[in-house]
């Protein structure tokens, strides 16, 4: 291990998110390239560094820094060098020289204790003297705070976020109540705060800890889709988390209520506890839906005539239910159009579009995901955007509001009609943000399959709107002839009705391969993906999607991805890779974004590297391919649909996972040429009808299920899906 002292001559590269820095260090032996993670350094600083020499295949000899400390400048040359390095805004080399010439070794004491004396130097006003002093003090404060936070095992990246939020108050926060960081700072969860609290000496029975644990347990349930928890369930969850017996939970709930963090509502089944932001989000969503549902006075005769002309001009043929849907869309401010695969939802949407266009109305089309929006565009011939792009995402929305969207109540969408497809995927925060940007007088048409799984995020929007019985709902049930020729469509409807399916493999697009051993099943899955299905459906290997009910287990996502990666994208000396936790990411891997990130920048480039489009936001469920891993700059480039390129610093790799196999939940809104479903016995609460129905309806040309036919038939009969605690239907009825 080498120990070297020198000046930061030039910072070559710095990743602000994780602190990874490449810089030139100047010492008695000349310049040396150093690499490592630094909480805070500036050009001109004197550092004492400990590290090991390494040889990079492209950049030669480097010092890999293991530890370092900042030293005070030791002589006049050092002081002048630091001040003139650019670290202090407004002080260049010449001015730094004059300052040091005047005050010599006393320079820093003068700046810190008598900054007004800097005005004695030509070129420095009283105001500039104060600005220089403030900068020197701020940099000292930041450095000391970062070092302080790292004593508690806080990473550089997280320390920067914490200091950015609290500033110099960080010491008081850490020592008095570190639990508040779990609420205020993204990336700090309850467990991180709990570890810090233990190091500070806060007792397990502390009121701070119990209140924070209760609130954290409530927010964790939101991650499971709930909008509220019953008080007894919350007490149980919080007790499990805190590992203490909570006596008089009412006292803590009252405190949280006074702090406006929660809302408690009495119900027939007991007290409901909501996180305040979700309570008001649900309430306002109900109010905005109610306000949108105005009536439009259009005569039936006019509508009949116009629809007849549309049918003549376009060849669109509608049955009675589809015609009713078009008429209801014209007459009502809010319409729900629902139905299973092959029931003519797309034809009905197209008829609506033609009708509204003939009226000269402005129409916007949207869907929750890029894939769903692309399908909508192809099916209608009109441009459809993701809901996020429609709302012009421009930052990092807090979950509880539409902040961060360019379109909102102050800057609403300029549309007469908005049609949103795949509504089963839309969660409460996104629905709230959308409604916030829609003006009364705009027609809102919500299209989806209410039998699909609910959204990944909290809420059950489509089902709750239908359940409220306060809006016009048209359900399409007839399977049209062309769709009826597909066993995928026919069997999906049988699954939904709980009917037995004949598995004789005489179908052209629905196959069942009976296997009873997990490893044999995986072997068959690999053969299907690599050899059989690409030719059968005329698609690439990566277009074939493996869907499984579980994350864990012999046929869970985690194990399947490791095995599929090994065979579909094996290690290669020409492919860079990066190990992250238990995952290995390799160039060429198929990956998925697993959380909404509103700040990630994407761009589309020509083959010559010219940027032709760019924007913000990559969202939960987006799938792409790793195109490059830069081990020097520590980042990874992923290409998503429509050739959008995103650069991920290593610090954000927790937002990605391999996607050769994904859960059925994560497949919502997507459609694949072929789907392969490995199926063996698993937890009954995960193996239910709606999950199987959703998996089967993701396939466009071919479904192949490999596994136990007994489990398959049992899933069809299991109607006990996971219920969500939501109250949107009740809130809507209250307004009516």
């Amino acid at each position: 291990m080498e120990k070297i002292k020198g000046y930061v001559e030039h910072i070559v590269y710095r990743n602000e998110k994780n602190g990874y820095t490449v810089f030139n260090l100047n010492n008695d032996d000349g310049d040396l390239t150093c690499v490592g993670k630094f909480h805070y350094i500036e050009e001109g600083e004197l550092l004492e560094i400990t590290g090991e020499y390494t040889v990079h295949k492209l950049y030669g000899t480097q010092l890999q820094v293991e530890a370092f400390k900042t030293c005070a400048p030791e002589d006049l040359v050092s002081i002048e060098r630091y001040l003139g390095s650019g670290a202090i805004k407004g002080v260049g080399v010449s001015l730094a020289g004059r300052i040091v010439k005047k005050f010599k070794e006393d320079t820093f004491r003068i700046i810190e204790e008598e900054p007004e004396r800097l005005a004695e130097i030509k070129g420095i006003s009283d105001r500039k003297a104060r600005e220089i002093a403030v900068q020197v003090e701020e940099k000292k404060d930041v450095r000391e705070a970062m070092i302080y936070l790292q004593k508690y095992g806080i990473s550089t990246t997280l320390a920067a976020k914490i200091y950015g939020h609290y500033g110099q108050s960080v010491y008081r926060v850490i020592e008095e109540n570190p639990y508040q960081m779990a609420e205020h700072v993204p990336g700090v969860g309850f467990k991180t705060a709990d570890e810090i609290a233990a190091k500070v000496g806060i007792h397990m029975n502390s009121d701070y800890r119990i209140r924070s644990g209760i609130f954290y347990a409530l927010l964790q349930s939101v991650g499971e889709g709930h909008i509220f928890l019953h008080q007894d369930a919350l007490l149980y969850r919080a007790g499990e988390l805190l590992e203490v017996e909570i006596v008089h939970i009412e006292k803590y709930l009252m405190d949280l209520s006074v702090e406006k963090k929660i809302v408690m509502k009495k119900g027939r089944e007991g007290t409901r506890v909501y996180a305040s932001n979700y309570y008001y989000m649900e309430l306002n969503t109900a109010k905005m839906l109610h306000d949108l549902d105005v009536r439009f006075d259009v005569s039936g005769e006019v509508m009949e005539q116009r629809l007849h002309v549309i049918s003549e001009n376009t060849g669109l043929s509608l049955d009675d239910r589809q015609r009713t849907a078009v008429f209801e869309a014209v007459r009502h401010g809010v319409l729900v159009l629902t139905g299973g695969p092959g029931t003519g939802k797309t034809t009905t949407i197209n008829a609506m579009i033609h009708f509204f266009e003939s009226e000269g109305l402005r129409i916007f089309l949207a869907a929750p995901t890029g894939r769903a929006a692309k399908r909508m565009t192809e099916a209608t011939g009109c441009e459809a955007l993701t809901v996020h792009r429609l709302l012009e995402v421009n930052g990092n929305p807090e979950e509880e509001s539409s902040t961060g969207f360019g379109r909102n109540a102050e800057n609403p969408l300029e549309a007469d009609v908005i049609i949103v497809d795949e509504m089963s995927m839309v969660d409460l925060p996104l629905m709230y943000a959308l409604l916030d940007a829609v003006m009364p007088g705009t027609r809102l048409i919500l299209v989806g399959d209410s039998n699909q799984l609910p959204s990944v995020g909290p809420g059950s929007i489509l089902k709750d709107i239908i359940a409220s019985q306060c809006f016009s709902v048209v359900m399409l049930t007839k399977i049209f002839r062309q769709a009826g020729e597909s066993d995928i469509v026919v069997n999906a409807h049988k699954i939904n009705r709980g009917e037995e399916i004949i598995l004789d493999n005489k179908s052209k697009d629905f196959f069942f391969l009976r296997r009873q051993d997990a490893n044999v099943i995986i072997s068959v899955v690999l053969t299907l993906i690599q050899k059989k299905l690409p030719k059968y459906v005329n698609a690439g290997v990566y277009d074939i999607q493996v869907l499984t009910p579980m994350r864990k287990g012999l046929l869970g996502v985690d194990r399947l991805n490791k095995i599929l990666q090994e065979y579909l994208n094996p290690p290669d000396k020409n492919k860079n890779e990066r190990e992250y936790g238990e995952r290995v990411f390799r160039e060429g891997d198929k990956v998925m974004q697993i959380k909404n990130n509103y700040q990630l920048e994407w761009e589309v480039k020509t083959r010559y590297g010219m940027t032709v489009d760019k924007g913000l936001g990559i969202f939960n469920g987006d799938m792409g391919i790793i195109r490059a891993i830069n081990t020097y700059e520590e980042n990874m480039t992923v290409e998503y649909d429509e050739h959008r390129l995103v650069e991920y610093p290593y610090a954000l790799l927790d937002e990605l996972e391999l996607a050769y196999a994904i859960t059925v939940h994560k497949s919502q809104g997507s459609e694949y040429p072929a789907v392969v479903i490995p199926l063996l016995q698993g937890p009954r609460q995960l193996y239910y009808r709606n999950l199987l129905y959703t998996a089967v309806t993701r396939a466009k040309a071919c479904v192949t299920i490999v596994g136990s036919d007994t489990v398959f038939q049992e899933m069809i009969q299991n109607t006990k899906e996971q219920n969500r605690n939501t109250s949107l239907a009740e809130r809507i009825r209250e307004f009516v």
Side-chain angles (χ1 to χ4, degrees):
M1 196 73 73
E2 300 288 334
K3 184 174 282 189
I4 294 173
K5 202 170 193 177
Y7 300 97
V8 180
E9 183 75 23
H10 173 58
I11 295 177
V12 178
Y13 171 81
R14 178 169 175 80
N15 185 319
E16 294 297 338
K17 291 180 178 174
N18 63 11
Y20 179 80
T21 309
V22 181
F23 65 93
N24 295 330
L25 188 80
N26 184 269
N27 65 2
D28 295 339
D29 298 324
D31 282 352
L32 172 66
T33 300
C34 299
V35 296
K37 291 190 176 179
F38 294 81
H39 49 74
Y40 191 89
I41 60 169
E42 294 277 7
E43 292 178 352
E45 286 191 311
L46 180 63
L47 302 182
E48 184 176 277
I49 285 174
T50 304
E52 294 278 5
Y53 283 108
T54 60
V55 179
H56 193 281
K57 61 184 178 182
L58 292 179
Y59 304 105
T61 301
Q62 300 176 338
L63 187 70
Q64 186 71 44
V65 179
E66 299 292 334
F68 76 99
K69 66 177 181 180
T70 306
C71 307
E74 297 170 335
D75 53 35
L76 297 184
V77 173
S78 303
I79 296 170
E80 184 176 334
R81 188 172 191 151
Y82 175 72
L83 288 176
S85 68
I88 308 300
K89 188 178 177 182
V91 178
V93 175
S94 176
L95 189 54
R98 295 204 298 274
I99 294 172
V100 174
K101 185 177 180 181
K102 170 78 173 174
F103 299 116
K104 298 187 170 54
E105 289 86 352
D106 223 14
T107 296
F108 278 110
R109 188 195 64 76
I110 294 292
I111 292 174
E112 291 174 7
E113 298 176 12
E114 303 175 71
E116 68 279 359
R117 289 193 57 193
L118 289 171
E120 297 172 14
I121 296 167
K122 186 179 179 182
I124 300 181
S125 63
D126 288 341
R127 180 180 174 183
K128 188 166 187 175
R130 289 193 298 272
E131 288 175 352
I132 292 170
V134 167
Q135 286 188 70
V136 169
E137 187 62 30
E138 279 180 349
K139 291 180 187 300
K140 178 183 173 185
D141 290 344
V142 171
R143 187 178 295 111
E144 289 175 351
M146 299 290 272
I147 292 169
Y148 169 79
L149 290 170
Q150 287 186 8
K151 287 194 306 184
Y152 294 101
I154 299 171
S155 70
T156 300
T157 310
L158 202 50
K161 286 183 182 177
I162 293 169
Y163 185 81
H165 185 86
Y166 293 111
Q168 287 300 102
S169 301
V170 70
Y171 303 101
R172 178 181 53 77
V173 169
I174 293 287
E175 288 161 17
E176 291 181 7
N177 180 16
Y179 292 103
Q180 61 187 282
M181 293 191 299
E183 300 165 32
H184 299 154
V185 184
V188 180
F190 174 82
K191 290 180 181 175
T192 300
D194 207 25
E195 288 172 7
I196 295 168
K199 291 174 183 174
V200 173
I202 293 176
H203 198 269
M204 285 188 73
N205 288 316
S206 155
D207 279 1
Y208 283 140
R209 183 173 186 268
I210 292 175
R211 276 206 307 272
S212 182
I214 291 170
F215 189 62
Y216 180 76
L218 184 59
L219 293 182
Q220 286 293 97
S221 73
V222 171
E224 299 166 18
H226 301 299
I227 303 302
F228 67 85
L229 279 182
H230 295 107
Q231 182 174 311
D232 290 346
L234 178 57
L235 174 62
Y236 175 78
R237 286 178 178 230
E240 290 275 294
L241 172 71
L242 295 166
E243 296 180 343
V244 297
E245 184 181 354
I246 303 174
V247 182
H248 306 307
I249 189 173
E250 295 81 4
K251 167 188 177 298
Y252 299 110
L253 291 177
M254 192 56 65
D255 289 343
L256 287 167
S257 181
V258 169
E259 293 173 22
K260 300 190 184 308
K261 289 181 179 177
I262 66 167
V263 172
M264 293 186 290
K265 297 286 286 185
K266 291 286 186 184
R268 289 190 304 272
E269 69 287 2
T271 301
R272 297 173 176 179
V273 185
Y274 298 77
S276 293
N277 51 338
Y278 287 101
Y279 174 80
Y280 290 109
M281 197 187 296
E282 193 175 64
L283 185 68
N284 289 325
T285 295
K287 174 71 164 61
M288 290 186 287
L289 277 168
H290 173 263
D291 292 348
L292 274 179
D293 195 28
V294 298
R295 298 293 187 271
F296 295 90
D297 187 17
V298 184
S299 75
E301 186 178 345
V302 169
M303 288 193 291
E304 287 283 4
Q305 290 173 352
R306 194 150 286 161
L307 206 54
H308 177 73
V309 171
I310 289 168
S311 181
E312 290 287 315
N313 292 339
T314 64
L316 288 173
S317 177
L318 306 180
D319 71 1
D320 289 344
R321 295 298 293 165
Q322 290 173 309
R323 293 167 68 83
T324 298
V326 176
F327 293 162
E328 292 293 283
V330 174
R331 289 192 179 110
H332 294 270
V334 177
L335 168 74
V336 176
L337 176 65
T338 184
T343 55
K345 294 192 297 293
T346 299
T347 301
T348 309
I349 291 171
N350 280 325
M352 291 175 181
I353 291 170
H354 287 298
F355 192 103
F356 291 127
E357 283 179 339
S358 71
E359 292 276 303
L361 301 182
R362 191 176 188 194
I363 308 161
F364 287 166
L365 307 181
T369 67
R371 284 172 178 259
K374 186 177 180 181
R375 288 211 324 273
M376 197 178 187
T377 299
E378 292 167 351
T380 62
C382 303
E383 183 185 23
L385 301 175
T386 64
V387 178
H388 291 91
R389 289 197 78 178
L390 179 70
L391 297 177
E392 299 174 12
V393 62
N394 59 15
N396 186 18
E398 300 293 332
E399 284 190 69
E400 66 271 15
S401 75
S402 61
T403 305
F405 289 107
R407 296 291 181 172
N408 47 43
E410 285 71 43
N411 183 28
L413 292 164
E414 297 168 5
D416 300 301
V417 181
I418 298 173
I419 304 176
V420 185
D421 199 6
E422 294 287 358
M423 270 301 300
S424 62
M425 293 186 66
V426 175
D427 61 16
L428 179 63
L430 188 58
M431 187 64 179
Y432 172 83
L434 174 64
L435 292 172
D436 192 44
V438 179
M439 290 185 293
T442 305
R443 291 178 174 89
L444 181 64
I445 299 164
L446 308 175
V447 184
D449 184 347
S450 59
N451 292 307
Q452 297 280 0
L453 292 172
S455 57
V456 175
S460 188
I461 299 298
L462 182 61
K463 286 184 178 180
D464 283 356
I465 291 174
I466 294 171
S468 73
Q469 299 183 324
C470 294
F471 302 100
S472 179
V473 177
V474 178
M475 179 175 286
L476 304 178
T477 55
K478 177 183 175 183
I479 302 175
F480 286 87
R481 183 181 61 79
Q482 189 174 355
E485 295 172 1
S486 164
D487 285 321
I488 295 174
V489 172
V490 171
N491 287 341
H493 284 274
K494 284 185 176 180
I495 290 169
N496 195 39
R497 293 192 297 266
E499 298 173 7
E500 187 175 347
I501 294 174
I502 298 171
L503 304 173
D504 58 8
N505 287 337
K506 293 181 180 179
S507 169
K508 292 180 180 178
D509 59 8
F510 194 100
F511 303 97
F512 199 105
L513 306 180
R514 292 174 175 82
R515 303 291 188 276
Q516 299 298 329
D517 179 88
N519 291 330
V520 173
I521 289 172
I522 293 172
S523 178
V524 172
V525 169
L526 279 165
T527 301
L528 289 168
I529 294 172
Q530 291 179 300
K531 298 177 181 178
K532 304 289 186 181
L533 288 173
K535 291 180 182 177
Y536 192 75
V537 297
N538 191 28
V541 169
Y542 280 11
D543 295 324
I544 298 159
Q545 189 60 54
V546 178
L547 302 180
T548 177
M550 302 180 297
R551 292 203 59 85
K552 304 297 181 183
L554 294 176
L555 293 178
V557 164
D558 295 343
R559 182 169 186 252
L560 282 171
N561 271 319
K562 287 180 181 178
I563 296 171
L564 292 172
Q565 181 192 43
E566 183 181 340
Y567 285 91
L568 301 180
N569 188 32
D572 187 310
K573 64 180 181 180
N574 295 318
K575 291 181 179 179
N576 287 332
E577 58 182 54
R578 169 68 179 180
E579 192 172 331
Y580 190 86
E582 296 183 0
R583 304 171 193 161
V584 174
F585 293 110
R586 186 174 297 130
E587 288 175 346
D589 273 337
K590 182 180 179 181
V591 293
M592 173 183 278
Q593 175 80 13
I594 58 173
K595 63 191 291 188
N596 288 341
N597 188 324
Y598 299 87
Q599 292 182 315
L600 268 178
E601 296 179 1
W602 55 262
E603 55 184 357
V604 179
K605 294 185 176 182
T606 66
R607 59 186 297 185
Y608 303 107
M610 183 181 298
T611 299
V612 293
D613 192 14
K614 59 183 179 179
L616 287 172
I618 298 295
F619 305 106
N620 194 351
D622 286 352
M623 293 174 69
I625 306 293
I626 298 173
R627 295 302 183 196
I629 296 177
N630 189 324
T631 55
Y632 183 71
E633 294 190 357
E634 295 200 330
N635 60 42
M636 194 161 81
T637 302
V638 178
E639 181 179 353
Y640 288 99
D641 287 342
E642 300 171 332
H643 308 293
R644 293 174 299 150
L645 295 170
V646 178
E647 193 175 281
Y648 286 82
Y650 283 175
L652 289 184
L653 295 189
D654 62 334
E655 297 188 6
L656 289 171
E657 63 180 31
L658 295 175
Y660 299 102
I662 62 175
T663 61
V664 179
H665 279 87
K666 290 288 189 182
S667 73
Q668 292 176 88
S670 296
E671 190 176 70
Y672 311 96
V675 161
V676 181
I677 307 169
L679 206 58
L680 275 182
Q681 199 69 48
R684 186 168 171 78
Q685 67 268 26
L686 291 178
Y687 281 57
Y688 53 91
R689 181 185 295 173
N690 281 33
L691 186 132
L692 182 61
Y693 173 79
T694 300
V696 166
T697 54
R698 297 309 88 204
K700 191 174 182 179
C702 182
V703 169
T704 307
I705 302 171
V706 188
S708 166
D709 53 343
T710 303
V711 172
F712 176 75
Q713 301 294 0
E714 286 175 353
M715 286 183 76
I716 294 175
Q717 301 309 317
N718 182 12
T719 58
K720 294 183 179 179
E721 61 183 291
Q722 293 171 309
N723 292 321
R724 293 187 167 191
N725 294 332
T726 67
S727 47
L728 179 61
E730 297 168 41
R731 298 286 90 85
I732 291 170
R733 285 194 289 268
E734 287 170 6
F735 282 108
V736 174

